[in-house]
Amino acid sequence: MRVKRMTIAEGKRVGIDRFPNFHKTGSVRGMKKLYYGAECLLVRCGNFIYNVSSEPQIYNQATI
């Protein structure tokens, strides 16, 4: 699975700041391997990448 993108305005609308996150310069592969698991759903919004696995509808409405 890949990291999808979301605009900052869309992120504020869905309340994306309540999910665990890391900076865009961090290692996506490392975070999946060590913390979130291989099947996690990640969305980039602004300078951060959020783990939205608990609400997959947010991942589905994000663009590629």
Side-chain angles (χ1 to χ4, degrees), residues 15-59:
I16 201 162
D17 59 342
R18 58 195 160 103
F19 296 100
N21 63 70
F22 60 98
H23 197 262
K24 68 179 181 180
T25 60
S27 170
V28 171
R29 188 177 354 171
M31 293 301 284
K32 283 186 169 190
K33 183 178 179 181
L34 295 174
Y35 298 106
Y36 299 144
E39 298 300 318
C40 68
L41 304 175
L42 298 177
V43 175
R44 178 176 171 185
C45 182
N47 289 329
F48 292 92
I49 300 173
Y50 297 87
N51 178 10
V52 295
S53 298
S54 61
E55 293 188 27
Q57 68 272 18
I58 294 174
Y59 182 80

Side-chain angles (χ1 to χ4, degrees), residues 4-6 10 42-43 57-64:
K4 290 189 174 183
R5 294 177 186 241
M6 181 176 278
E10 289 177 48
L42 298 177
V43 175
Q57 68 272 18
I58 294 174
Y59 182 80
N60 293 332
Q61 72 187 38
T63 60
I64 294 177

